[in-house]
Amino acid sequence: MSTKNKIILGVSILHFLLVLLVIIKSFGSIVLFDVSIDPVWLIIWCFTFFLPIINLTEIINNRDDWNKYYWIGLLFNILSIIFIIRHYKIDLF
């Protein structure tokens, strides 16, 4: 059980660092349906949607324990979502 929370935290930190790297550096792009897309962004978007859900389900399922690894992972997920929103200039308000 203790390795699962550390693996999810490691993936969350790796995702956050990958978001920062992709924002700074541009990689090769492909054209799909007349839209130019970096393939790395497809992977980042998948992790952006699924990692917070995984962290929240683990926090909810393990209510008896203090799940600091899941909470730290959720914090990194929220930070990466904020950086992605700022990169794409999405106006929320």
Side-chain angles (χ1 to χ4, degrees), residues 12-79:
S12 296
I13 292 172
L14 184 65
H15 173 256
F16 176 71
L17 293 175
L18 184 64
V19 165
L20 293 178
L21 178 70
V22 171
I23 287 174
I24 293 171
K25 183 176 175 15
S26 66
F27 295 97
S29 62
I30 60 172
V31 177
L32 185 66
F33 302 116
D34 296 330
V35 177
S36 179
I37 300 172
D38 278 340
V40 179
W41 278 110
L42 297 174
I43 298 168
I44 287 177
W45 279 106
C46 291
F47 278 115
T48 302
F49 290 129
F50 292 123
L51 277 175
I53 294 171
I54 291 171
N55 278 322
L56 284 174
T57 55
E58 291 297 327
I59 290 170
I60 291 170
N61 287 337
N62 300 323
R63 289 176 282 170
D64 299 333
D65 298 332
W66 171 247
N67 302 311
K68 63 180 176 181
Y69 294 114
Y70 296 125
W71 282 103
I72 294 170
L74 187 63
L75 180 68
F76 277 111
N77 293 331
I78 291 171
L79 285 174

Side-chain angles (χ1 to χ4, degrees), residues 1-9 70:
M1 181 81 179
S2 65
T3 59
K4 183 179 179 181
N5 55 9
K6 292 177 184 174
I7 289 172
I8 293 175
L9 175 63
Y70 296 125

